[in-house]
Amino acid sequence: MSATRIPSRVRRLNKVQKISVAGVSALGVAALTFSLVPSNTEPEIAPQAAAAAAPVAFTNAAGSAQAKTVQNSMLEQHATAEQLVKAADAAKAKAAAETKAAAAKAKAASEAKAKAAADAKAKAKAAADAKDKAAKAKADAKKRGTEAANRSTPRKPVYANNLDGWIREAMAIMKKEGIPGSYDGIHRNIIRESSGNRWAINNWDINARNGIPSKGLLQVIQPTFDRYHVAGTKKDLYDPVANIVAACNYAADRYGSMDNVNSAY
C-alpha cells in the first residue's frame, strides 16, 4: 500500500475514527523510536561519538525485526482505516437508499390515498347525478301523466250568473238526466211566470191561500219541487238552476215537455 493513498482516505473518516488511527500511529512511531536507541548505550557519551555512531545505529536498526514489526503494524492499521472508510461509505449509501425507498413508498401511499379519495368523490357524484336524473325523470313522467289526464278529463263548463247561464246549465243537467226541453220553451215560460226574477213569489193565488205559494223562475210550489227535485242540484226552491230542472222534470211527467206548456201549469 502506498503512503500517498492513506491521507486522502483518512480524511473521509469520522472524528472518532481519526482519533483512533492517530493514537495508534503515534504509538507505532514511539515504539519505532524506542527500538532505534541501543539498549546498552552508556548514559554519558561524548557528543562526537554519538554523532558518529547515530547513522550506523539507524541503519542497523532499520533492518531489525523490531522495525519490520512496527512497519507491518502500521500497514495493518492503515488497512483497518481503509476498511472503516469503506464500511462508512457502504452504511451511508445504504441509509440513503433506505431513505429514498421510504420517501418513494410514502409518495406512492399518498398518491394512492389521493386517488382513492378522488375515485370515492367521483363515485358519490355519479350516484347523486343518477339519483337526481331518476327523480327528474319520475317528476317529468308524473307531470306528463297529469297533463294527459287533464286533457282527457272534460272541463267543467263555466256558466254566467244570469238568466242565459242558468238556462244553459239547467239544460246540461237535463240532458244528462234525460229530461226533455228546449232553450226557447224554457225561456218563454220563465218570462211568462216570473219575468226572469229568481226571487219572484206569488202571494195571491190558491196556492198562496193554502200556504204553499209559488216561487222562483218557473213558479214552483214546495211539494212539487220536493217531488221532482233532481239529485246534483241544490235543495233550494229559489236556486235558479234547481228551480228550472225540477219544473222541467214535472212538465215532462205531466205534459211531455216544457215546450208543450203555454200557460199556467
Side-chain angles (χ1 to χ4, degrees), residues 155-166:
R155 293 185 179 182
K156 184 178 181 180
V158 178
Y159 299 99
N161 188 27
N162 54 31
L163 181 59
D164 178 73
W166 299 333

Side-chain angles (χ1 to χ4, degrees), residues 14-30:
N14 59 35
K15 185 175 180 182
V16 175
Q17 292 169 341
K18 288 179 180 180
I19 292 172
S20 299
V21 172
V24 172
S25 299
L27 291 175
V29 172

Side-chain angles (χ1 to χ4, degrees), residues 183-195:
Y183 184 95
D184 291 338
I186 296 171
H187 186 271
R188 184 183 72 250
N189 280 283
I190 288 175
I191 296 302
R192 187 190 69 252
E193 292 291 332
S194 65
S195 300

Side-chain angles (χ1 to χ4, degrees), residues 29-194:
V29 172
L32 179 60
T33 303
F34 181 78
S35 66
L36 293 176
V37 180
S39 59
N40 58 353
T41 304
E42 295 294 332
E44 293 182 2
I45 302 175
Q48 296 82 0
V56 176
F58 180 81
T59 301
N60 293 335
S64 67
Q66 289 180 334
K68 288 182 179 180
T69 301
V70 171
Q71 185 179 13
N72 290 337
S73 176
M74 291 179 66
L75 292 175
E76 291 176 359
Q77 292 166 14
H78 288 309
T80 301
E82 179 137 355
Q83 291 176 356
L84 290 174
V85 170
K86 289 181 178 180
D89 289 344
K92 184 177 180 182
K94 182 180 179 182
E98 290 176 350
T99 301
K100 185 176 181 180
K105 184 177 180 181
K107 182 180 179 182
S110 178
E111 290 175 350
K113 184 177 180 181
K115 185 177 184 301
D119 291 344
K121 185 176 180 180
K123 186 177 180 181
K125 186 177 184 301
D129 291 344
K131 185 177 181 180
D132 291 342
K133 186 176 180 180
K136 186 176 183 300
K138 184 177 180 180
D140 291 343
K142 183 177 180 180
K143 182 179 179 181
R144 288 193 297 270
T146 302
E147 291 174 350
N150 290 338
R151 286 193 298 269
S152 63
T153 302
R155 293 185 179 182
K156 184 178 181 180
V158 178
Y159 299 99
N161 188 27
N162 54 31
L163 181 59
D164 178 73
W166 299 333
I167 295 175
R168 293 184 184 280
E169 184 175 358
M171 288 183 66
I173 297 172
M174 290 164 58
K175 182 179 180 180
K176 183 179 178 182
E177 298 295 332
I179 300 171
S182 67
Y183 184 95
D184 291 338
I186 296 171
H187 186 271
R188 184 183 72 250
N189 280 283
I190 288 175
I191 296 302
R192 187 190 69 252
E193 292 291 332
S194 65

